[in-house]
Amino acid sequence: MFRARRTTLSLALIGLAAEAKYGLAPKKFEALPLGNVRPTGWLLDQLQVQTNGVAGHMHEFYDLVSNSDWIGGDSFYSYLEEAGSYWFNAMVPNGILVNNTVIKEKTQEFLDYVLDHQDESGWLGPEVGTDKPRFLWGRYPFFFGAIQMVEYKPSQTDRVVTALHKFVNLANEMLRKEQGVDKWAMTRWEDFVLALQWLHDYHPRGQEKLLVDTMTRLKWSGVPWEKVFSEKYFPRGPVENLTNPFGLELSWHGVNMAEGLKALPATYRFTHNQSDLDAANLAWDLMFRYHGRPSGAYAADEMLAGLEAVRGTELCLVVEAMFSGSYLYQVIGDLKYADRVERMTYNALPATMTADMWGRQYLQQQNQVAAKNMTPNPFPEDGPYSNVFGLEPNYPCCTVNFPQGWPKFITNAFLKTVDGKSLVHLYLGPFSTEVTLSDGNDAKVVVETLYPFGDTLTTTITATKDFDYFVRIPSWVSGGSISVGDGPKEELTPDEQTGLQKVEVKKGVTVLRLRLPAEITIEKRLHGSIAVHRGPLNYAFDIGRAEQVIKTDPRETHAIDLQYDPAEAWEYAIDPSSLVYHHDTPTSGNLPSPIFDSGLPPTRITASACLIDWPLAGDTFASSPPENPECVGPRRVITLWPFGATKLRISEFPVVSFGEGVFEDVVGSQVPLQL
Ligand SMILES: *[C@@H]1O[C@H](CO)[C@@H](O)[C@H](O)[C@H]1NC(C)=O
Ligand SMILES: *[C@@H]1O[C@H](CO)[C@@H](O)[C@H](O)[C@H]1NC(C)=O
Ligand SMILES: *[C@@H]1O[C@H](CO)[C@@H](O)[C@H](O)[C@H]1NC(C)=O
């Protein structure tokens, strides 16, 4: 009897130990299920523009994802192995957030097709029923799409979760036999780990041990990101002439690294090891210190590209780094991640698309004086056509992958605290969200704002219980205030680490008014040049452009490739002491649609400037900004616009000094401000 009880007790203890061993460290914040956070105002319009562009139409004509012969054929997701998977990951949230019936049906069809064709072994994907070799990676974006579908439509949970568990069994076996890991699986293992962690968090079905074992095997089968992103090995400049110490050049590949930024926080969840969080923080800092752009992103024209303003940033890198930054904030809770995600979203992402979102670049440049076939080519490892705006310049991957950018930014804009009792408004912009918090509190939040094209946010919260509400105060806010209901304006007191301002909200309706002004700030760049910021926005000289259609897709007349040449002088140096911020108050409360194009945003910065001698390098791109330049023309005032609205631009300027009070001096000789 006694013996028996002891046995039971020790079994229980072993059980507890096992639970701890196969448990995951909690995140600091949890995202809300897809569909709970919705865009409103200009942001809804932006997502609608995306849907009306190539994102919402490619399934009709683009052979990588159009499904004409997909049932019974393999075109839907066979080319590059990944195209359909990327499309699905992006268009699930896009379709749901704009409530587009056709896209919702297409993504459902895709899910059904993939699940219905899972084979006996558990394999998912186009290799089923063929003798194609099986590599794990192509499925990972599909997993993200499937998870989002379950979040939105829980009635599909059992089917998806059963299929994923079946796949995990197979994957674990493959990893034990060292199968299925090609160079892409080696560099993108963290994406599978995130999917496994979702299963572990919400639908473990008693498989915690297998799940954690699979995460561990994935990590050790792949790139050691903690070493790639270490002080010892991290490359401090362009890598084209360096030898990769890991024997895998793809560990310096911009998109892989963007995905890899979430490898270390994901690792922390199963190792519970603070060193993995420290490494994650260091990774982020090294990346942006040595390759960062004023647009918020970093440069990698295929491989890491350093700080020169004409090197490229790949569009896939932008959306993947945004997604990784959102995950990093959720695990670590450091304001720096959220601030930068917002900057990438409001600068780098729109800058690299035409305003109607039918054309996208493969690579964007911070100083981009032409978008055309480059001679000579400034990108050592990408083609000369990489900065043309079109359907699929250089490679097709970004066409199918970019549409995840805006939808996932929106989904990650609100979070819950880990106890499930509080809501966090993380990314600022116009949103609404509705959620039942863990104590049964039904909370609804509507945020009205033009942010980032305005400094004020009016937030109406309706709740059935008292609760703590949090809103992020970006690090660039200076002299901001908050008022709650009819209460007085108060100074902001955000938490230093998380950046969150706590507001104790009573049940019923509460209106918060936030004022979040910012100073103009100057960022020092290479060759003594500067970039200009205010709040989340980088400001650039918008070079007037001559546009030429150089290709029209025979299947879709909107799918054109556009060449841009400069139609005016751009060789300006500016005087940083002369910068003045201007803001129109839109009369209707609405912004133009689309908003990201020349002359449209309501904010701008003027600068005293002069033309200097600034040569081209080759025919199509600017040489480095000249140091200590001399004016070769008269002083004039030029206007800098939000970077995202410029398609040709100078954003890293040489500096001149006209002395104090010069702004008044030049009135009369200036370019009209059109205020
Ligand atoms: C989405 O559209 C359908 C059909 O047009 C409509 O019935 C439904 O209420 C809409 N849902 C949302 C969340 O707007
Ligand atoms: C790499 O080597 C080439 C050829 O010698 C040279 O032109 C280029 O400037 C080098 N790049 C860097 C970043 O050092
Ligand atoms: C935790 O990190 C330390 C230091 O990097 C390392 O030596 C140790 O192996 C790690 N533990 C686990 C479980 O990963």
Side-chain angles (χ1 to χ4, degrees), residues 219-220 226 267 270-276:
K219 173 175 167 47
W220 294 111
E226 68 283 1
T267 302
F270 61 88
T271 62
H272 306 254
N273 204 341
Q274 177 63 34
S275 68
D276 289 315

Side-chain angles (χ1 to χ4, degrees), residues 235-249:
R236 263 81 168 161
V239 298
E240 56 266 18
N241 298 338
L242 305 180
T243 305
N244 185 299
F246 307 103
L248 186 65
E249 219 208 337

Side-chain angles (χ1 to χ4, degrees), residues 65-88:
V65 293
S66 66
N67 63 0
S68 48
D69 61 346
W70 125 58
I71 307 232
D74 56 8
S75 75
F76 202 162
Y77 54 167
S78 67
Y79 183 70
L80 285 184
E81 249 257 308
E82 64 188 20
S85 200
Y86 270 146
W87 170 86
F88 180 67

Side-chain angles (χ1 to χ4, degrees), residues 357-636:
M357 297 190 82
W358 268 100
R360 58 91 180 149
Q361 296 177 293
Y362 185 75
L363 299 178
Q364 64 179 289
Q365 299 163 290
Q366 198 74 30
N367 283 355
Q368 181 168 283
V369 302
K372 66 194 294 188
N373 213 8
M374 293 272 170
T375 49
N377 178 5
F379 316 121
E381 303 187 59
D382 276 315
Y385 203 72
S386 294
N387 83 352
V388 168
F389 288 78
L391 176 63
E392 51 177 12
N394 208 49
Y395 289 117
C397 54
C398 295
T399 307
V400 287
N401 193 19
F402 89 80
Q404 69 163 299
W406 288 107
K408 291 199 178 180
F409 173 75
I410 291 161
T411 295
N412 288 311
F414 276 83
L415 305 172
K416 281 191 295 195
T417 49
V418 81
D419 65 6
K421 289 186 185 160
S422 292
L423 255 182
V424 175
H425 181 194
L426 189 66
Y427 299 137
L428 305 184
F431 294 99
S432 72
T433 185
E434 228 175 316
V435 63
T436 302
L437 295 166
S438 61
D439 51 358
N441 181 11
D442 290 319
K444 188 175 169 203
V445 179
V446 176
V447 184
E448 290 167 276
T449 182
L450 295 178
Y451 188 95
F453 305 110
D455 294 343
T456 56
L457 290 87
T458 303
T459 303
T460 306
I461 304 168
T462 313
T464 52
K465 297 195 173 159
D466 297 356
F467 77 119
D468 289 340
Y469 180 82
F470 294 89
V471 57
R472 167 175 146 268
I473 308 301
S475 57
W476 49 73
V477 169
S478 159
S481 66
I482 184 169
S483 66
V484 183
D486 298 330
K489 262 192 206 167
E490 290 182 44
E491 258 180 54
L492 296 166
T493 51
D495 178 78
E496 233 168 70
Q497 213 234 338
T498 62
L500 299 180
Q501 172 81 30
K502 178 166 139 182
V503 186
E504 291 170 9
V505 171
K506 300 280 170 220
K507 70 175 177 189
V509 179
T510 307
V511 178
L512 308 183
R513 289 193 174 77
L514 277 165
R515 257 191 75 251
L516 303 178
E519 305 287 344
I520 294 174
T521 57
I522 303 289
E523 178 187 0
K524 292 200 168 109
R525 302 294 301 173
L526 293 187
H527 313 291
S529 70
I530 57 166
V532 178
H533 302 269
R534 184 188 178 278
L537 299 181
N538 174 220
Y539 283 81
F541 178 66
D542 185 6
I543 306 169
R545 59 186 194 259
E547 186 174 303
Q548 196 183 330
V549 178
I550 49 176
K551 197 157 141 197
T552 303
D553 191 276
R555 299 159 296 185
E556 166 57 68
T557 53
H558 290 95
I560 52 178
D561 286 5
L562 290 169
Q563 167 173 323
Y564 296 143
D565 286 286
E568 64 177 317
W570 50 265
E571 299 89 343
Y572 287 110
I574 62 172
D575 181 345
S577 72
S578 70
L579 300 169
V580 179
Y581 177 69
H582 306 268
H583 182 253
D584 298 340
T585 312
T587 41
S588 64
N590 289 327
L591 296 172
S593 167
I595 179 68
F596 289 107
D597 207 348
S598 298
L600 299 179
T603 65
R604 74 213 65 154
I605 288 173
T606 49
S608 288
C610 68
L611 285 171
I612 58 165
D613 187 13
W614 186 352
L616 285 172
D619 298 338
T620 51
F621 59 96
S623 58
S624 302
E627 286 182 63
N628 307 314
E630 302 270 332
C631 291
V632 297
R635 281 186 247 161
R636 59 199 316 197

Side-chain angles (χ1 to χ4, degrees), residues 74-276:
D74 56 8
S75 75
F76 202 162
Y77 54 167
S78 67
Y79 183 70
L80 285 184
E81 249 257 308
E82 64 188 20
S85 200
Y86 270 146
W87 170 86
F88 180 67
N89 174 37
M91 294 318 287
V92 166
N94 188 337
I96 287 164
L97 294 178
V98 294
N99 200 20
N100 180 301
T101 311
V102 173
I103 293 172
K104 281 160 68 176
E105 283 171 10
K106 286 282 157 207
T107 48
Q108 182 69 50
E109 237 175 287
F110 188 96
L111 179 73
D112 292 343
Y113 182 82
V114 175
L115 296 186
D116 290 350
H117 288 77
Q118 184 166 36
D119 77 5
E120 283 302 296
S121 73
W123 190 257
L124 291 162
E127 300 81 1
V128 165
T130 75
D131 53 13
K132 282 186 202 164
R134 295 182 165 187
F135 296 110
L136 292 166
W137 136 250
R139 279 124 283 279
Y140 304 166
F142 165 78
F143 295 157
F144 289 155
I147 288 168
Q148 293 175 89
M149 290 205 70
V150 167
E151 288 177 352
Y152 179 68
K153 207 166 153 193
S155 62
Q156 321 209 65
T157 305
D158 187 56
R159 193 163 153 249
V160 171
V161 168
T162 301
L164 293 187
H165 274 291
K166 204 169 158 191
F167 185 85
V168 173
N169 273 309
L170 171 64
N172 188 277
E173 232 173 79
M174 290 172 70
L175 289 166
R176 284 170 190 270
K177 294 186 205 148
E178 295 181 14
Q179 291 172 353
V181 182
D182 65 347
K183 58 190 183 178
W184 299 103
M186 279 181 82
T187 44
R188 298 177 174 183
W189 54 265
E190 55 280 346
D191 282 18
F192 194 10
V193 169
L194 255 66
L196 296 169
Q197 293 184 348
W198 177 83
L199 283 176
H200 192 295
D201 287 344
Y202 300 107
H203 308 285
R205 296 194 178 171
Q207 297 299 305
E208 286 87 345
K209 183 174 172 195
L210 180 76
L211 289 166
V212 170
D213 183 66
T214 312
M215 293 175 210
T216 310
R217 285 176 192 283
L218 281 164
K219 173 175 167 47
W220 294 111
S221 75
V223 169
W225 288 116
E226 68 283 1
K227 292 207 176 75
V228 174
F229 287 115
S230 64
E231 294 280 6
K232 180 165 177 201
Y233 293 113
F234 188 76
R236 263 81 168 161
V239 298
E240 56 266 18
N241 298 338
L242 305 180
T243 305
N244 185 299
F246 307 103
L248 186 65
E249 219 208 337
L250 283 177
S251 68
W252 285 345
H253 179 269
V255 184
N256 290 342
M257 297 185 100
E259 296 181 26
L261 286 166
K262 62 186 178 305
L264 296 164
T267 302
Y268 158 75
R269 292 203 64 204
F270 61 88
T271 62
H272 306 254
N273 204 341
Q274 177 63 34
S275 68
D276 289 315

